[in-house]
Amino acid sequence: MKPLIGKHWHHLPNDEILVLLNADPERGLDRFAVEERQREHGTNTLTPRQGRGPLLRFLLQFHQALVYILLVAVIIKLSLGAWVDASVIFGVVLLNSIIGFVQEGKALGALEALARALTTESTVLRAGQKQRIDAAQLVPGDIVLLASGDKVPADLRLLRGRNLQIDESALTGESLPVEKHIGTLAVDTSLADRVNMAYSSTLVTYGTGTGVVTGTGDATEIGRISEMIAAADVLATPLTRKIARFSHILLYAILGLAGLTFAVGLWHGGSAVDLFMAAVALSVAMIPEGLPAVLTITLAIGVARMAKRNAIIRRLPAVETLGSTTVICSDKTGTLTRNEMTVQQLWAGGQAFALSGIGYAPEGELRRDGERQDLGDHPALGELLRAGLLCNDAVLKQTTEGWKIEGDPTEAALLVAARKAGLEGPREQAAHPRLEAIPFESQHQYMASLHGGNPPVVYLKGSVEKLLERCTTMLGADGQNVSLDSEAVHQRVQAMAGQGQRVLAFARLAVAPGTTDIDHQDVAGGLSFLGLQGMIDPPREEAIRAVRACQAAGIKVKMITGDHAATAAAIASQIGLGGPARDGQPPEVLAGRALEQLSDADLIAAAADTAVFARVTPEQKLRLVEALQARGEVVAMTGDGVNDAPALRQADIGVAMGITGTEVSKEAADMVLTDDNFATIEAAVEEGRGVFDNLIKFITWILPTNAGQGLVIIAAVMAAQPLPVLPVQALWINMTTAVLLGLTLAFEPRERGIMDRPPRIPDAPILNVELMLRILTVGLLLLAGSFGLFEWALSQGASEAEARTIAVNVFAVGQSFYLLNCRSLRFSMFRLGLFSNPWIWAGIAAMLAAQLLFTYLPLMNRLFHTAPIGLMDWVHITAVGLAIYLVIGAEKALRLRRETAGNET
């Protein structure tokens, strides 16, 4: 028997499925059939994806354009016998590669988590005997028995079921357990509506059932999600894209300048060997070797900061990507909502009531028309709540972690509602002990329970239609029976359902004293209608604030859920998605079936214009993310279920929930929220923007060093003078200043008003014209100071080693002063606070100590070709640094004054 992956199992009749699978529902498969199918189909596990080995990942750290220039310089130095210089240059390259290897992006562990999700046991029928086996041994055609609490081990077509309910929220996004039925469905029935199927890795919450295995391993729905995760592209982040583009521009500029310097030197009659070495020195000097290391460490510091704010980063560039986010696509259940069903509206005795409070904590007030109500004044309402409390199998418990439930979430919501209104479960159960019950069955659509007391009574809860057809009267506001007003009931049901609420009806029947059992015939008619309870999975209050803050920061928030359209619209309206409600109407919702009909171009437009998407399949979630990315958006996708994993993987940044999230979603995500709080995303965005600000400050600070050193070498070649800075000296300056000085900018606190800015334009260059001019200005000042003092020292009889030591120290001291300018790209350090970042001063002190060793320690003199210098040389060097600080400070003040004047006009 070959795999029948393409079959619409939900559409075929049971008899035909059993024939196709050659399965016997009474005996199951025999041993030989199982062995044959295991050879044919393999185990019920997901095929792991082969990744890069550690050696290849390490070697790829060298696969960077700027690194190739340094490696060429190493080879040239070795060929000329300059072993020390070659060792220093290669040591820098190796250090950067090790850092990159250790800190490299996220581990591609989503598929392993999916495979672990399948490692469970299941009960099967084989050779007429029930057996408990490892789910990995299941094959198509196996007969599987399901019971409450079981994890569904494979994709099943249901053959029998009794009150079977399955929690499919991790797969489809449906917030409530799905009631399963037996029978055939239309071929185009969406995944979330296939009530005759049970899917791998979902959870049985109630009842029992029997099904035949239709798919195992990669052939299951979760297997298809696995393939989508494997196929989803791991996109470059905005930061890595900009750094890559910037590196290539820098590469071409360096090679161009090196070639031009070599050509001009030849034209001036210089030695080809000397000019070649000058070109190598120029190339080494202008490469910001410290950039990769400081970039990685800065992001790692951002990771530590985010961890303190309940956001765990699994991939370093995700820190910055959050700061670039333009769209957040959020799942609904458990992300924007609490994943705790809550009764919000009640209707009894012809009167509507509201119940405050959210979640399973029994804290809230009963109100009518905004005024607080006492339950004793409303006997009909009391009877409605009592019915929900007693006709109930759920348990509500208070634990150290808060209020928890056992059983169906809908029944738990009824318990909480009764407690809020003042009914105590133990007291009511003692007064009205349960004697018998008719469990809920899908074909009857109600549950009934018989309770002793004076007189005995039967309470029913279920669908409005099924209960109304059994009722002849209804309870009036005074607790007395009145004529049933079916039209009024339907109007109220329509109003509550229009707000996305799940509506349950309640009724009662008085029975004769001494009655001890009941059946369906006993409750077929003559009931009294008690009222309605409307419930919904409410939005998190902090999520409402977070969405509002994100929108204020220019970030669009979209809801993408597998839940029903009415529910999604109601939650979106409460949260504030889709703009303000017009004429009291909820925002427009685009459903999964409509999405299927859209072309790629129409989908791109719809993705931009619509804020709420409902009944969405995993493929459509992935497609929506891709559509937004096609418009140039930087997309963050939040979610907690298996169904979210492909979209989490595809998004520029995937955000998973740490408490309720599945292992699959966590492994696929770039960031995990340890508190499952959507509001943490706002904090993460703020942190990401601060990290990017600090990275821009660092790049603005480090490039003048490279530009200045390059200009000094070019000037020396043009003037036919000795090189003021040798390659190993350039490497020393580049690495020590980057680590000791530049790295301190990573600790710079966030500037005020950072969340009042719109998101950065994704394709905008790293540096704007203003910053490029500032970099050029500082580079020219370093050129003038270092080359001028180099030539002056030679004219005063100093050796080339002494003159070069002076030139190198000009860069170290000049960059120390310029560091104070770069603490803010707009404001003076005095406005920020002199000691708001004490690491700045520690870095400057460490740099001074390093330069003293560089200048006066004999070992350093031999390694870097330096020599001790005098006190007056330090005075001249300091004067150059102070001049840089004053010039840039004046430039910033002038620009700020112009900005202020422009804003006032």
Side-chain angles (χ1 to χ4, degrees), residues 228-475:
M228 286 190 290
I229 296 174
D233 296 329
V234 180
L235 299 183
T237 68
L239 178 65
T240 56
R241 286 195 295 264
K242 289 173 183 176
I243 292 295
R245 189 183 311 129
F246 174 73
S247 296
H248 281 91
I249 293 173
L250 193 59
L251 171 65
Y252 298 141
I254 290 170
L255 294 178
L257 283 174
L260 180 63
T261 301
F262 184 80
V264 170
L266 282 178
W267 184 62
H268 279 279
S271 165
V273 174
D274 292 342
L275 290 171
F276 183 73
M277 292 306 301
V280 171
L282 176 64
S283 301
V284 172
M286 294 195 71
I287 294 175
E289 292 87 1
L291 180 59
V294 173
L295 175 69
T296 300
I297 295 169
T298 302
L299 292 175
I301 292 171
V303 167
R305 285 180 173 177
M306 286 192 177
K308 294 179 181 178
R309 304 182 77 172
N310 300 317
I312 304 299
I313 300 298
R314 301 186 64 251
R315 188 164 177 257
L316 282 182
V319 177
E320 180 275 332
T321 310
L322 273 166
S324 308
T325 299
T326 59
V327 177
I328 297 176
C329 296
S330 176
D331 187 35
K332 177 186 71 68
T333 306
T335 306
L336 291 169
T337 65
R338 297 175 61 89
N339 203 17
E340 297 177 350
M341 295 299 291
T342 305
V343 174
Q344 293 188 332
Q345 293 188 22
L346 304 161
W347 189 79
Q351 298 175 325
F353 300 85
L355 202 55
S356 64
I358 55 176
Y360 294 140
E363 300 167 358
E365 293 181 346
L366 189 64
R367 292 183 176 274
R368 180 167 179 255
D369 298 328
E371 296 184 3
R372 186 172 180 176
Q373 303 292 309
D374 189 287
L375 187 62
D377 298 332
H378 303 281
L381 178 62
E383 194 67 1
L384 170 67
L385 291 167
R386 185 172 292 109
L389 174 66
L390 297 175
C391 188
N392 200 312
D393 290 325
V395 177
L396 180 67
K397 292 182 177 180
Q398 187 173 20
T399 70
T400 55
E401 299 177 355
W403 289 90
K404 302 294 181 182
I405 67 161
E406 293 179 4
D408 184 81
T410 299
E411 292 193 324
L414 300 176
L415 294 181
V416 174
R419 287 281 298 271
K420 287 178 180 178
L423 292 182
E424 293 294 335
R427 182 185 306 166
E428 294 295 330
Q429 289 160 3
H432 308 280
R434 181 186 290 191
L435 305 176
E436 177 67 294
I438 301 175
F440 180 91
E441 292 180 341
S442 55
Q443 64 266 36
H444 297 294
Q445 293 291 301
Y446 67 81
M447 173 185 174
S449 58
L450 169 63
H451 298 270
N454 188 21
V457 65
V458 177
Y459 288 115
L460 288 85
K461 74 169 185 292
S463 71
V464 177
E465 293 77 10
K466 293 296 184 182
L467 263 62
L468 273 181
E469 67 186 24
R470 288 169 166 77
C471 294
T472 55
T473 62
M474 64 186 290
L475 217 59

Side-chain angles (χ1 to χ4, degrees), residues 12 106 130 417 431 522 629 638 670 737 841 889:
L12 300 175
K106 67 181 176 184
K130 289 184 181 180
D522 296 322
Q629 289 172 333
T638 74
D670 302 278
T737 56
W841 303 106

Side-chain angles (χ1 to χ4, degrees), residues 531-716:
L532 306 167
Q533 297 197 42
M535 63 188 69
I536 198 169
D537 180 13
R540 297 173 179 266
E541 293 180 357
E542 60 270 26
I544 297 174
R545 295 191 295 269
V547 167
R548 192 178 299 124
C550 288
Q551 291 170 337
I555 300 170
K556 296 181 283 290
V557 181
K558 298 180 184 292
M559 178 195 295
I560 303 178
T561 179
D563 216 337
H564 294 279
T567 306
I571 295 297
S573 181
Q574 294 177 49
I575 288 177
L577 298 182
R582 296 183 294 274
D583 302 324
Q585 296 299 312
E588 180 182 351
V589 179
L590 189 59
R593 285 197 179 185
L595 277 177
E596 288 180 358
Q597 310 304 320
L598 296 180
S599 65
D600 288 344
D602 291 339
L603 179 64
I604 290 173
D609 299 336
T610 308
V612 186
F613 302 86
R615 304 308 270 175
V616 176
T617 65
E619 296 95 330
Q620 290 168 342
K621 286 190 177 187
L622 185 61
R623 196 172 167 220
L624 280 168
V625 172
E626 291 171 335
L628 289 166
Q629 289 172 333
R631 292 178 61 89
E633 305 281 8
V634 178
V635 182
M637 169 72 188
T638 74
D640 59 359
V642 174
N643 62 326
D644 297 320
L648 289 174
R649 184 93 165 88
Q650 175 67 29
D652 295 275
I653 176 165
V655 185
M657 302 297 120
I659 299 174
T660 59
T662 61
E663 286 302 312
V664 178
S665 63
K666 294 175 191 176
E667 292 290 345
D670 302 278
M671 183 175 81
V672 178
L673 306 183
T674 60
D675 58 357
D676 281 18
N677 195 334
F678 187 88
T680 303
I681 298 174
E682 177 203 350
V685 169
E686 182 181 21
E687 204 66 59
R689 290 186 175 190
V691 167
F692 189 82
D693 272 7
N694 289 345
L695 288 174
I696 295 299
K697 293 172 186 177
F698 172 75
I699 293 173
T700 304
W701 171 84
I702 196 174
L703 289 185
T705 302
N706 304 106
Q709 289 177 113
L711 290 172
V712 164
I713 293 172
I714 292 172

